[in-house]
Amino acid sequence: GGRTWNAANGGLPSKWVTSLVIDPRDGRRLLAGVGKPRNSNERGGIYETSDAGASWHRINIDDLPDVRR
């Protein structure tokens, strides 16, 4: 029910998670939109986990644009 939370960022390249989607059919599968901090070599994009965040892999090919203003 969301009363407790644990870190689940093993393998995410950045702490700039801008969106998070939990698969309604499988709570261990999540998608995270990761922003790219300005002046950084970190890679933004869309990442997926199927093990509740223990490991993540990038599922898009190109960097997403930085839309923060």
Side-chain angles (χ1 to χ4, degrees):
R3 283 189 232 183
T4 61
W5 291 79
N6 295 313
N9 59 348
L12 283 175
S14 171
K15 294 182 180 184
W16 291 89
V17 175
T18 58
S19 57
L20 185 64
V21 176
I22 301 171
D23 185 330
R25 294 167 296 189
D26 180 359
R28 296 178 51 81
R29 182 173 180 258
L30 295 90
L31 298 170
V34 177
K36 178 182 176 185
R38 291 185 181 109
N39 302 322
S40 171
N41 290 330
E42 295 177 1
R43 296 186 73 188
I46 301 172
Y47 289 79
E48 177 183 42
T49 181
S50 58
D51 56 13
S55 62
W56 293 83
H57 67 277
R58 186 181 162 118
I59 62 172
N60 67 310
I61 297 172
D62 297 323
D63 279 333
L64 297 176
D66 182 356
V67 295
R68 293 173 289 141
R69 299 196 189 266

